[in-house]
Coordinates of all heavy atoms in Angstrom, one line a residue:
A481 N 143.6 74.8 101.2 CA 144.8 74.7 101.9 C 144.6 74.0 103.3 O 145.5 73.8 104.1 CB 145.5 76.1 102.1
G482 N 143.3 73.8 103.7 CA 143.0 73.1 104.9 C 142.7 74.1 106.0 O 142.9 73.8 107.2
Y483 N 142.3 75.3 105.7 CA 141.9 76.4 106.7 C 143.0 76.8 107.6 O 142.9 76.7 108.8 CB 140.7 76.0 107.4 CG 139.5 75.6 106.6 CD1 139.0 74.3 106.6 CD2 138.8 76.6 105.9 CE1 137.9 74.0 105.9 CE2 137.7 76.2 105.1 CZ 137.2 74.9 105.1 OH 136.1 74.5 104.4
P484 N 144.2 77.1 107.1 CA 145.3 77.5 108.0 C 145.0 78.7 108.8 O 144.3 79.6 108.4 CB 146.5 77.7 107.0 CG 145.8 78.1 105.7 CD 144.6 77.3 105.6
D485 N 145.5 78.7 110.0 CA 145.3 80.0 110.8 C 146.1 81.1 110.3 O 147.1 81.0 109.6 CB 145.9 79.7 112.3 CG 145.1 78.7 113.0 OD1 143.9 78.5 112.7 OD2 145.6 78.0 113.9
Y486 N 145.5 82.3 110.5 CA 146.2 83.5 110.0 C 147.4 83.9 111.0 O 147.3 84.0 112.2 CB 145.2 84.7 110.0 CG 145.8 85.9 109.5 CD1 146.1 86.1 108.1 CD2 146.0 87.0 110.3 CE1 146.7 87.3 107.7 CE2 146.5 88.2 109.9 CZ 146.8 88.4 108.6 OH 147.4 89.5 108.1
E487 N 148.6 84.1 110.3 CA 149.8 84.4 111.1 C 150.4 85.8 110.7 O 151.4 86.2 111.1 CB 150.8 83.4 110.9 CG 150.4 82.0 111.4 CD 151.4 80.9 111.2 OE1 152.4 81.2 110.5 OE2 151.2 79.8 111.7
G488 N 149.6 86.6 109.9 CA 150.1 87.9 109.4 C 149.8 89.0 110.4 O 149.3 88.7 111.5
P489 N 150.1 90.2 110.0 CA 149.8 91.4 110.8 C 148.3 91.5 111.0 O 147.5 91.2 110.1 CB 150.4 92.6 110.1 CG 150.5 92.1 108.6 CD 150.7 90.6 108.7
R490 N 147.9 92.1 112.1 CA 146.5 92.2 112.4 C 146.1 93.7 112.6 O 146.9 94.5 113.1 CB 146.1 91.4 113.7 CG 146.3 89.9 113.5 CD 145.8 89.2 114.8 NE 146.0 87.7 114.6 CZ 145.1 86.9 114.0 NH1 144.0 87.4 113.4 NH2 145.4 85.6 113.9
K491 N 144.9 94.0 112.3 CA 144.3 95.4 112.5 C 144.1 95.5 114.0 O 143.9 94.6 114.7 CB 143.1 95.6 111.7 CG 142.0 94.7 112.0 CD 140.9 95.1 110.9 CE 139.7 94.1 111.2 NZ 138.6 94.3 110.2
Q492 N 144.2 96.8 114.4 CA 144.0 97.1 115.8 C 142.7 96.7 116.3 O 141.6 97.0 115.7 CB 144.3 98.6 116.1 CG 144.3 99.0 117.5 CD 144.7 100.5 117.7 OE1 144.8 101.2 116.7 NE2 144.8 100.9 118.9
V493 N 142.6 96.1 117.5 CA 141.3 95.7 118.1 C 140.7 96.9 118.8 O 141.4 97.5 119.6 CB 141.4 94.5 119.0 CG1 140.1 94.1 119.6 CG2 142.0 93.3 118.2
Q494 N 139.4 97.1 118.6 CA 138.7 98.2 119.3 C 138.6 97.9 120.8 O 138.3 96.8 121.2 CB 137.4 98.5 118.6 CG 136.7 99.7 119.2 CD 135.4 100.0 118.4 OE1 134.4 99.2 118.5 NE2 135.3 101.1 117.7
K495 N 138.7 99.0 121.6 CA 138.6 98.8 123.1 C 137.1 98.4 123.4 O 136.2 98.8 122.7 CB 139.0 100.0 123.8 CG 140.5 100.4 123.6 CD 140.9 101.6 124.4 CE 142.4 102.0 124.3 NZ 142.7 103.2 124.9
K496 N 137.0 97.8 124.5 CA 135.7 97.3 125.0 C 134.8 98.6 125.3 O 135.3 99.6 125.8 CB 135.8 96.5 126.3 CG 134.5 95.9 126.8 CD 134.7 95.0 127.9 CE 135.3 95.7 129.2 NZ 135.3 94.9 130.4
F497 N 133.5 98.5 124.9 CA 132.6 99.7 125.0 C 132.2 100.0 126.5 O 132.2 101.1 126.9 CB 131.3 99.5 124.2 CG 130.3 100.5 124.4 CD1 130.5 101.7 123.7 CD2 129.2 100.4 125.1 CE1 129.6 102.8 123.8 CE2 128.2 101.4 125.2 CZ 128.4 102.6 124.6
E498 N 131.9 98.9 127.3 CA 131.5 99.1 128.6 C 132.6 99.7 129.5 O 133.7 99.3 129.5 CB 131.1 97.8 129.3 CG 129.9 97.1 128.7 CD 128.6 97.9 128.9 OE1 128.5 98.7 129.9 OE2 127.8 97.9 128.0
G499 N 132.3 100.9 130.0 CA 133.2 101.6 130.9 C 134.2 102.5 130.1 O 135.0 103.2 130.7
S500 N 134.0 102.6 128.8 CA 134.9 103.4 128.0 C 134.4 104.8 128.0 O 133.3 105.2 128.3 CB 134.9 102.8 126.6 OG 133.7 103.0 125.9
D501 N 135.3 105.7 127.4 CA 134.9 107.1 127.2 C 133.8 107.2 126.1 O 133.0 108.1 126.2 CB 136.1 107.9 126.6 CG 137.1 108.2 127.8 OD1 136.9 107.8 128.9 OD2 138.1 108.9 127.4
R502 N 133.8 106.2 125.2 CA 132.7 106.2 124.2 C 131.3 106.0 124.9 O 130.3 106.7 124.6 CB 132.8 105.1 123.2 CG 133.8 105.4 122.1 CD 133.7 104.5 120.9 NE 133.8 103.2 121.2 CZ 132.8 102.2 120.9 NH1 131.7 102.7 120.3 NH2 133.0 101.0 121.2
Q503 N 131.3 105.2 125.9 CA 130.0 105.0 126.7 C 129.6 106.3 127.4 O 128.4 106.7 127.4 CB 130.2 103.9 127.7 CG 128.8 103.6 128.4 CD 129.0 102.5 129.5 OE1 130.0 102.2 129.9 NE2 127.8 102.0 129.9
V504 N 130.6 107.0 128.0 CA 130.3 108.2 128.7 C 129.8 109.3 127.8 O 128.9 110.0 128.1 CB 131.5 108.6 129.6 CG1 131.1 109.9 130.4 CG2 132.0 107.5 130.5
R505 N 130.4 109.4 126.7 CA 130.0 110.3 125.7 C 128.6 110.1 125.2 O 127.8 111.0 125.1 CB 130.9 110.3 124.4 CG 132.3 110.9 124.6 CD 133.3 110.5 123.5 NE 132.8 110.9 122.2 CZ 133.3 111.9 121.5 NH1 134.2 112.7 122.0 NH2 132.9 112.2 120.3
G506 N 128.2 108.8 125.1 CA 126.8 108.5 124.7 C 125.8 108.9 125.8 O 124.8 109.3 125.5
L507 N 126.2 108.7 127.0 CA 125.4 109.0 128.1 C 125.1 110.5 128.2 O 124.0 111.0 128.4 CB 125.9 108.5 129.5 CG 126.0 106.9 129.6 CD1 126.8 106.6 130.9 CD2 124.5 106.4 129.6
I508 N 126.2 111.3 127.9 CA 126.1 112.8 128.0 C 125.1 113.2 126.8 O 124.2 114.0 127.0 CB 127.4 113.4 127.9 CG1 128.2 113.1 129.2 CG2 127.2 114.9 127.7 CD1 129.7 113.6 129.1
L509 N 125.3 112.6 125.6 CA 124.5 113.0 124.5 C 123.1 112.6 124.7 O 122.1 113.4 124.3 CB 125.0 112.4 123.2 CG 126.3 113.0 122.6 CD1 126.8 112.1 121.4 CD2 126.1 114.4 122.2
A510 N 122.8 111.5 125.4 CA 121.5 111.0 125.6 C 120.8 112.1 126.5 O 119.6 112.3 126.3 CB 121.4 109.6 126.2
E511 N 121.5 112.5 127.5 CA 121.0 113.6 128.4 C 120.5 114.8 127.6 O 119.5 115.4 127.9 CB 122.0 113.9 129.5 CG 121.5 114.7 130.7 CD 120.6 113.9 131.6 OE1 120.6 112.7 131.6 OE2 119.9 114.5 132.4
L512 N 121.4 115.2 126.7 CA 121.1 116.5 125.9 C 120.0 116.2 124.9 O 119.2 117.2 124.7 CB 122.4 116.9 125.2 CG 123.7 117.2 126.2 CD1 124.7 117.8 125.3 CD2 123.3 118.1 127.3
R513 N 120.0 115.1 124.3 CA 118.9 114.8 123.4 C 117.6 114.9 124.0 O 116.5 115.2 123.3 CB 119.1 113.4 122.7 CG 120.1 113.4 121.5 CD 120.0 112.2 120.7 NE 120.3 111.0 121.5 CZ 121.6 110.4 121.6 NH1 122.5 110.9 120.9 NH2 121.7 109.4 122.3
A514 N 117.5 114.5 125.3 CA 116.2 114.5 126.0 C 115.7 115.8 126.4 O 114.6 115.9 127.0 CB 116.3 113.5 127.2
S515 N 116.5 116.8 126.2 CA 116.2 118.1 126.8 C 116.1 119.1 125.6 O 116.9 119.1 124.7 CB 117.2 118.6 127.8 OG 117.0 119.9 128.3
D516 N 115.0 120.1 125.8 CA 114.9 121.1 124.8 C 115.5 122.4 125.3 O 115.5 123.4 124.6 CB 113.4 121.4 124.5 CG 112.8 120.2 123.8 OD1 113.5 119.6 123.0 OD2 111.6 119.9 124.1
V517 N 116.1 122.4 126.5 CA 116.9 123.6 127.0 C 118.2 123.2 127.4 O 118.5 122.0 127.6 CB 116.1 124.1 128.3 CG1 114.7 124.6 127.8 CG2 115.9 123.1 129.4
P518 N 119.2 124.1 127.6 CA 120.5 123.8 128.0 C 120.5 122.9 129.3 O 119.7 123.2 130.2 CB 121.2 125.1 128.2 CG 120.4 126.0 127.2 CD 119.0 125.5 127.3
V519 N 121.3 121.9 129.4 CA 121.4 121.0 130.6 C 122.5 121.6 131.5 O 123.7 121.8 131.0 CB 121.8 119.6 130.1 CG1 121.9 118.7 131.4 CG2 120.6 119.1 129.2
R520 N 122.2 121.8 132.7 CA 123.1 122.3 133.7 C 124.3 121.3 133.9 O 124.1 120.1 133.8 CB 122.5 122.6 135.0 CG 121.5 123.8 134.9 CD 120.8 124.0 136.2 NE 120.0 122.8 136.5 CZ 119.3 122.6 137.7 NH1 119.4 123.6 138.7 NH2 118.6 121.6 137.9
A521 N 125.4 121.9 134.2 CA 126.6 121.0 134.6 C 126.3 120.1 135.7 O 126.9 118.9 135.6 CB 127.8 121.9 134.9
T522 N 125.6 120.5 136.7 CA 125.3 119.6 137.8 C 124.4 118.4 137.4 O 124.5 117.4 137.9 CB 124.5 120.4 138.9 OG1 123.4 121.0 138.3 CG2 125.4 121.4 139.5
E523 N 123.6 118.6 136.4 CA 122.8 117.5 135.8 C 123.7 116.5 135.0 O 123.5 115.3 135.2 CB 121.7 118.0 134.9 CG 120.7 118.9 135.6 CD 119.7 119.4 134.7 OE1 120.0 120.4 134.0 OE2 118.5 118.9 134.6
I524 N 124.6 117.0 134.3 CA 125.6 116.2 133.6 C 126.4 115.3 134.6 O 126.8 114.2 134.3 CB 126.5 117.0 132.6 CG1 125.6 117.5 131.5 CG2 127.7 116.1 132.1 CD1 126.3 118.3 130.5
D525 N 126.7 116.0 135.7 CA 127.5 115.2 136.7 C 126.9 114.0 137.2 O 127.5 113.1 137.7 CB 127.7 116.2 138.0 CG 128.7 117.3 137.7 OD1 129.3 117.3 136.7 OD2 128.7 118.2 138.5
T526 N 125.6 113.9 137.0 CA 124.9 112.7 137.5 C 125.0 111.5 136.6 O 124.5 110.4 137.0 CB 123.4 113.0 137.8 OG1 122.7 113.3 136.6 CG2 123.2 114.2 138.7
V527 N 125.4 111.7 135.3 CA 125.3 110.6 134.4 C 126.5 109.6 134.5 O 126.4 108.5 134.0 CB 125.3 111.1 132.9 CG1 124.2 112.1 132.7 CG2 126.7 111.7 132.5
W528 N 127.6 110.0 135.2 CA 128.7 109.1 135.4 C 129.5 109.6 136.6 O 129.7 110.7 136.8 CB 129.6 109.2 134.1 CG 130.6 108.1 134.0 CD1 132.0 108.2 134.3 CD2 130.4 106.8 133.6 NE1 132.6 107.0 134.1 CE2 131.6 106.0 133.7 CE3 129.3 106.0 133.2 CZ2 131.8 104.7 133.3 CZ3 129.4 104.7 132.9 CH2 130.6 104.0 132.9
A529 N 129.8 108.5 137.4 CA 130.4 108.9 138.7 C 131.9 109.3 138.6 O 132.3 110.1 139.5 CB 130.3 107.6 139.6
D530 N 132.6 108.8 137.7 CA 134.1 109.2 137.6 C 134.2 110.6 137.1 O 134.0 110.8 135.9 CB 134.8 108.2 136.7 CG 136.3 108.3 136.7 OD1 136.8 109.5 136.7 OD2 137.0 107.3 136.6
D531 N 134.6 111.5 138.0 CA 134.7 112.9 137.6 C 135.7 113.1 136.4 O 135.4 113.9 135.4 CB 135.1 113.8 138.7 CG 134.0 113.9 139.8 OD1 132.8 113.6 139.4 OD2 134.3 114.3 140.9
A532 N 136.8 112.5 136.5 CA 137.9 112.7 135.5 C 137.4 112.2 134.1 O 137.6 112.9 133.1 CB 139.2 112.1 135.9
Q533 N 136.8 111.0 134.1 CA 136.5 110.4 132.8 C 135.3 111.2 132.3 O 135.2 111.4 131.0 CB 136.1 109.0 133.0 CG 135.8 108.2 131.7 CD 135.5 106.7 131.9 OE1 135.1 106.3 133.0 NE2 135.7 106.0 130.8
R534 N 134.3 111.6 133.1 CA 133.2 112.4 132.6 C 133.7 113.8 132.0 O 133.2 114.2 131.0 CB 132.2 112.7 133.8 CG 130.9 113.3 133.3 CD 130.0 113.6 134.5 NE 130.6 114.5 135.5 CZ 131.0 114.2 136.7 NH1 130.9 113.0 137.1 NH2 131.5 115.1 137.5
S535 N 134.6 114.4 132.7 CA 135.1 115.6 132.2 C 135.9 115.5 130.9 O 135.7 116.3 130.0 CB 136.1 116.3 133.2 OG 135.4 116.6 134.4
R536 N 136.6 114.4 130.7 CA 137.3 114.1 129.5 C 136.3 113.9 128.4 O 136.6 114.3 127.3 CB 138.2 112.9 129.8 CG 139.1 112.5 128.6 CD 140.2 111.5 128.9 NE 139.6 110.2 129.3 CZ 139.7 109.7 130.5 NH1 140.3 110.3 131.5 NH2 139.1 108.5 130.8
A537 N 135.3 113.1 128.7 CA 134.2 112.8 127.6 C 133.6 114.1 127.2 O 133.4 114.3 126.0 CB 133.3 111.8 128.1
L538 N 133.2 115.0 128.1 CA 132.5 116.2 127.8 C 133.5 117.1 126.9 O 133.0 117.7 126.0 CB 132.1 116.9 129.1 CG 131.4 118.3 128.9 CD1 130.2 118.1 128.0 CD2 131.0 118.9 130.2
A539 N 134.7 117.2 127.4 CA 135.7 118.0 126.6 C 135.9 117.4 125.2 O 136.0 118.3 124.3 CB 137.1 117.9 127.3
G540 N 135.8 116.2 125.0 CA 135.9 115.6 123.7 C 134.7 115.9 122.8 O 134.8 116.3 121.6
L541 N 133.5 115.9 123.5 CA 132.3 116.2 122.7 C 132.3 117.7 122.3 O 131.9 118.0 121.2 CB 131.1 115.9 123.6 CG 130.7 114.5 123.8 CD1 129.7 114.3 124.9 CD2 130.3 113.8 122.6
L542 N 132.8 118.6 123.2 CA 133.0 120.0 122.8 C 133.9 120.2 121.7 O 133.6 121.0 120.8 CB 133.3 120.8 124.1 CG 132.2 121.0 125.2 CD1 132.9 121.4 126.5 CD2 131.2 121.9 124.8
A543 N 135.0 119.5 121.8 CA 136.1 119.7 120.8 C 135.6 119.2 119.4 O 136.0 119.8 118.4 CB 137.3 118.9 121.1
D544 N 134.7 118.1 119.4 CA 134.2 117.6 118.1 C 133.0 118.3 117.6 O 132.6 118.1 116.5 CB 133.8 116.1 118.4 CG 135.0 115.2 118.6 OD1 136.1 115.6 118.3 OD2 134.7 114.1 119.1
G545 N 132.5 119.4 118.4 CA 131.4 120.1 117.9 C 130.0 119.5 118.0 O 129.0 119.9 117.5
L546 N 130.0 118.3 118.8 CA 128.8 117.6 119.1 C 128.0 118.2 120.2 O 126.8 118.0 120.3 CB 129.1 116.1 119.4 CG 129.5 115.3 118.3 CD1 130.1 114.0 118.7 CD2 128.3 115.0 117.4
V547 N 128.7 119.1 121.1 CA 128.0 119.7 122.1 C 128.6 121.2 122.1 O 129.7 121.4 121.9 CB 128.4 119.0 123.5 CG1 127.9 119.9 124.7 CG2 127.7 117.7 123.5
V548 N 127.7 122.1 122.6 CA 128.1 123.5 122.8 C 127.7 124.0 124.1 O 126.8 123.4 124.7 CB 127.5 124.4 121.6 CG1 128.1 124.1 120.3 CG2 126.0 124.4 121.7
G549 N 128.4 125.0 124.7 CA 128.0 125.5 125.9 C 129.1 125.7 126.9 O 130.3 125.5 126.5
S550 N 128.7 125.9 128.2 CA 129.7 126.1 129.2 C 129.1 125.9 130.6 O 127.9 125.8 130.7 CB 130.3 127.7 129.2 OG 129.1 128.5 129.5
P551 N 130.0 125.7 131.6 CA 129.4 125.5 132.9 C 128.4 126.5 133.4 O 127.5 126.3 134.0 CB 130.6 125.5 133.8 CG 131.8 125.0 132.9 CD 131.4 125.7 131.6
A552 N 128.7 127.8 133.0 CA 127.8 128.9 133.4 C 126.5 128.9 132.7 O 125.5 129.3 133.3 CB 128.6 130.2 133.1
H553 N 126.4 128.5 131.4 CA 125.3 128.6 130.7 C 124.6 127.3 130.4 O 123.4 127.2 129.8 CB 125.5 129.3 129.4 CG 126.0 130.7 129.5 ND1 127.3 131.1 129.5 CD2 125.4 131.9 129.8 CE1 127.5 132.4 129.7 NE2 126.2 132.9 129.9
G554 N 125.3 126.2 130.7 CA 124.7 124.9 130.5 C 125.2 124.4 129.1 O 125.8 125.1 128.3

Side-chain angles (χ1 to χ4, degrees):
Y483 305 111
D485 292 335
Y486 179 72
E487 297 180 352
R490 297 185 180 275
K491 58 185 177 182
Q492 187 175 4
V493 177
Q494 188 177 64
K495 295 180 180 178
K496 186 172 67 171
F497 177 74
E498 293 297 326
S500 67
D501 285 3
R502 282 200 302 124
Q503 183 183 17
V504 184
R505 284 165 61 101
L507 292 171
I508 294 172
L509 284 175
E511 191 76 14
L512 302 188
R513 278 195 297 264
S515 176
D516 293 325
V517 297
V519 176
R520 292 175 297 175
T522 53
E523 294 175 284
I524 290 180
D525 289 346
T526 66
V527 306
W528 195 257
D530 186 323
D531 291 343
Q533 189 175 23
R534 187 182 62 250
S535 296
R536 185 170 63 246
L538 178 58
L541 290 169
L542 288 164
D544 290 341
L546 287 164
V547 172
V548 296
S550 66
H553 299 97

